[in-house]
Structure formats: C-alpha cells, structure tokens
Amino acid sequence: MAKYKIAMLPGDGVGKDVMEAAKLVLDKIDLDADYIYGDVGWEFWKKEGDPLPPRTIHLLQNTDCCLFGAITSKPKDEAEKELRPELQGKGFVYFSPIVRLRQEFNLRTNLRPCKAYTGNPLNYRDDIDLVVFRENTEGLYAGIEFHPVPEELRNTLIKLHPRAKKFEPVSLDDLAISCRIFTRKACQNIVRDAFEYAKKRGYPTVTVVEKPNVIRETSGLMIREARKMARDYPDIKLWETNIDAMCMWLVKNPQNYGVLVSSNMFGDIISDLCAQLVGGLGFACSGNIGDDYAVFEPTHGSAPKYAGKYMVNPLAMIFSCKLMLDWLGENQSADSIEKAVSEVIKEGKVRTYDMGGSDSTIDVAKSIADKI
Ligand code: IPM
Ligand code: MG
C-alpha cells in the first residue's frame, strides 16, 4: 500500500487543465502516493442536483488530503435554470462546493502565500513576500442569511437592539440579512496559526486586518484576541490595520508587510489583491487546512472560456502541490518543486500567455518536471 492516498478533484473548466499539469510534476517527484480521482462541479450539479455528491465526501474521508482544481459558480436562480428539467423546482439549491468542503471538514485555516519570484515580469515589485491567513469557516461565509427576513427575526432584532428600529417600516421582502458570526475560538486559532507561521519562517510582523472602529463586535473580538496572542510571541510585532487602509498600503508599500491575518471575507479580498502584486491568480496557491485534513487549490476560478485549451498558467496549482507536500511533512519534495518553479520563472523561456509567452499549460509543467 502506498504511504499516502490523495484525492484529486479537477472540477470544472481549466481545473482539469491545471490538474493534469500538476500531476506531471507530482509524478516526477515520485511521491509514494495513490491518486484517486473524484467527482465535483457543475456537471454533477446539472445531472444530480449536487455539485459535491456524497460519494465524493466519502472519498475525501478515506484519503489523507485533497487537491482541488476549480469550480464554476453561478447565482442561485441561474444555477437552478441549468438543472436537468426533472430536477427543477424540487428545492435543490446551489451552494459552492469549496465553501462546503471548508465547513464540512472544518478546514479552519486558509493559507495563501504570495511571493514575488525573481524574473517574473508580472511582479508589481520584486521584493514582495506576503502570506495571508484567512479564517475559513465563519464570518460572512457561515451561510446564515435571510431573504425575505422572517418577521420573528426582525421583531427580535428590534427588541434587542435600538438601531434595528429603523428597519421596522421596511417590508420583509425588501430586507436581506447576512450574519457575520465570529467565535473566540476561531479568532484564536487563525491568529495563532499566523504567529506560529511567522515564528517558524522568520517573519518579523503579523498584521491583523479588520475594521474594529466600525464593526465593533466581530472585528473587535479578532483584534482583542490578536493582542492577547501577541504576548506569547515577544519577538514578532503585531500590527493592526483596517481593511480599507490595508488595501492602500498593499499598493503603496507591500514590501513592508509579511504575515497578514484576517477573517473570511476580508481575507478573501486581500488575498486577491496580494495575488495580483506577484503575478495574478495564475500564481496564487492556497491550502485549506484543518486539524487532520486539508484541501489544496489554486485561488483562481474555472475560467470557462479557456477550458480545455491548455492556455492558463499552471503555477498556482503546482504551488498548491508544494503546500500540500509541506503539510504532509515531505519538505524536501516541496522544496524541490519550489526550486524547479523558480528556475523556470527566472529563465523565462517557457511561459504561458499571462506572462507574455505562448507556451501551453503542459509545456510549463514539463519544463518544471524536467528540472526536478
Ligand atoms: C476563493 C474564492 C472562493 C471564496 C469562491 C470561489 C467561493 O474566491 O477561494 O478565494 O470566496 O472563498
Ligand atoms: Mg477569493
């Protein structure tokens, strides 16, 4: 039996292209692993009314970790229209499979490194090395939302909070509520993970990115927990920056920052911004990490217009494999992938279109594999 069982979920669109590319690289490092492919994505939503069927959950439960490609998501009504006719009007509701995986497997930490590699023509600056820690199961992604708002909920809010009074005259159908829910535990976990990472890898600062001046209770809880946690890490400075200002500072002086930590929605936003500073989503890898399971995925979507054309940059997926290997404790293999990728970037001979080249997804993967 192989040492590891790894679930492979290519998903939709270019997810398949980049997964194929990543597999070429994984085969080259010769990890002692069985790779088991599973079903996820739009095709299964249309056919079965579930983009993440129970058999896929079961597959994941029987593997060590998972590589995930990309997923097509559409708003609720549009999704319903694409269901097989016999499934329409039966109460099937589309919910993003990746968000579901994060919640069902309690993958509480989203790790998103964004580093400028030497020779990448898309670098905003060459000295950027940012790592975003995004809380991954709560906040605005908890999925607790109402439209129309139940009368009981509105009445309760009015009873409990003076500011809710102003919504009393609004019709329930003209109101929508999305709950931003933080637990102390989740705040502590994400902040601790950020500090531990900074300590292990020698980053001098951890910046907590929230908005406690306005969103006093949820952002406030995160900041207060970060301040407490910082006492355990006297060699690392805790910086506190509001999300809006952070966007400005990241454009102004990204080289001054190291580890960033935030809640789910703000972390989602700053991680795209950070990705663009080092080449865009084609470079942006991520790990959704829980206590005993993890799913690694490129941050980009399924880019339907490029599906099957083998044009998109596979680096985000290949860097995600590197994160996976680090998580598995296969650090040498992880380093050898990173080294090979950085050489390919530096040489600049093989590049996909986003980097100004005309090589294919597979050409890039092959040139990386050749250097391992
Ligand atoms: C990401 C993506 C997802 C998210 C989408 C696809 C649901 O933007 O991983 O950053 O919002 O978390
Ligand atoms: Mg995002």
Side-chain angles (χ1 to χ4, degrees), residues 112 134 268 272 299:
R112 299 187 153 175
R134 164 185 177 192
D268 181 46
D272 273 22
T299 306

PDB file of all heavy atoms in Angstrom, residues 112 134 268 272 299, ligand 2:
ATOM      1  N   ARG A 112      -2.467  31.442   2.268  1.00  0.00           N
ATOM      2  CA  ARG A 112      -2.256  31.919   0.901  1.00  0.00           C
ATOM      3  C   ARG A 112      -0.955  32.715   0.757  1.00  0.00           C
ATOM      4  O   ARG A 112      -0.937  33.931   0.925  1.00  0.00           O
ATOM      5  CB  ARG A 112      -3.450  32.784   0.475  1.00  0.00           C
ATOM      6  CG  ARG A 112      -4.727  31.978   0.501  1.00  0.00           C
ATOM      7  CD  ARG A 112      -5.910  32.698  -0.056  1.00  0.00           C
ATOM      8  NE  ARG A 112      -6.852  31.714  -0.578  1.00  0.00           N
ATOM      9  CZ  ARG A 112      -8.042  31.977  -1.053  1.00  0.00           C
ATOM     10  NH1 ARG A 112      -8.465  33.224  -1.109  1.00  0.00           N
ATOM     11  NH2 ARG A 112      -8.821  31.020  -1.513  1.00  0.00           N
ATOM     12  N   ARG A 134      -6.332  33.393   6.308  1.00  0.00           N
ATOM     13  CA  ARG A 134      -7.744  33.762   6.240  1.00  0.00           C
ATOM     14  C   ARG A 134      -8.560  32.761   7.034  1.00  0.00           C
ATOM     15  O   ARG A 134      -8.482  31.552   6.764  1.00  0.00           O
ATOM     16  CB  ARG A 134      -8.149  33.737   4.758  1.00  0.00           C
ATOM     17  CG  ARG A 134      -9.613  33.727   4.508  1.00  0.00           C
ATOM     18  CD  ARG A 134      -9.896  33.579   3.009  1.00  0.00           C
ATOM     19  NE  ARG A 134     -11.322  33.509   2.780  1.00  0.00           N
ATOM     20  CZ  ARG A 134     -11.881  33.151   1.637  1.00  0.00           C
ATOM     21  NH1 ARG A 134     -11.129  32.840   0.600  1.00  0.00           N
ATOM     22  NH2 ARG A 134     -13.174  33.098   1.516  1.00  0.00           N
ATOM     23  N   ASP A 268     -10.547  36.999   1.979  1.00  0.00           N
ATOM     24  CA  ASP A 268     -10.821  36.711   0.566  1.00  0.00           C
ATOM     25  C   ASP A 268     -10.396  37.911  -0.283  1.00  0.00           C
ATOM     26  O   ASP A 268      -9.723  37.761  -1.306  1.00  0.00           O
ATOM     27  CB  ASP A 268     -12.324  36.443   0.414  1.00  0.00           C
ATOM     28  CG  ASP A 268     -12.714  36.119  -1.018  1.00  0.00           C
ATOM     29  OD1 ASP A 268     -12.023  35.304  -1.649  1.00  0.00           O
ATOM     30  OD2 ASP A 268     -13.712  36.688  -1.502  1.00  0.00           O
ATOM     31  N   ASP A 272      -6.821  38.274  -3.003  1.00  0.00           N
ATOM     32  CA  ASP A 272      -6.775  38.581  -4.441  1.00  0.00           C
ATOM     33  C   ASP A 272      -5.855  39.764  -4.708  1.00  0.00           C
ATOM     34  O   ASP A 272      -5.103  39.783  -5.687  1.00  0.00           O
ATOM     35  CB  ASP A 272      -8.179  38.905  -4.990  1.00  0.00           C
ATOM     36  CG  ASP A 272      -8.933  37.650  -5.420  1.00  0.00           C
ATOM     37  OD1 ASP A 272      -8.595  36.557  -4.932  1.00  0.00           O
ATOM     38  OD2 ASP A 272      -9.869  37.755  -6.246  1.00  0.00           O
ATOM     39  N   THR A 299      -6.196  29.574  -6.252  1.00  0.00           N
ATOM     40  CA  THR A 299      -7.257  30.509  -5.878  1.00  0.00           C
ATOM     41  C   THR A 299      -8.135  30.879  -7.079  1.00  0.00           C
ATOM     42  O   THR A 299      -9.248  31.354  -6.918  1.00  0.00           O
ATOM     43  CB  THR A 299      -6.614  31.779  -5.263  1.00  0.00           C
ATOM     44  OG1 THR A 299      -5.754  31.364  -4.205  1.00  0.00           O
ATOM     45  CG2 THR A 299      -7.630  32.720  -4.690  1.00  0.00           C
TER      46      THR A 299
HETATM   47 MG    MG B   2     -11.478  34.700  -3.480  1.00  0.00          MG
END
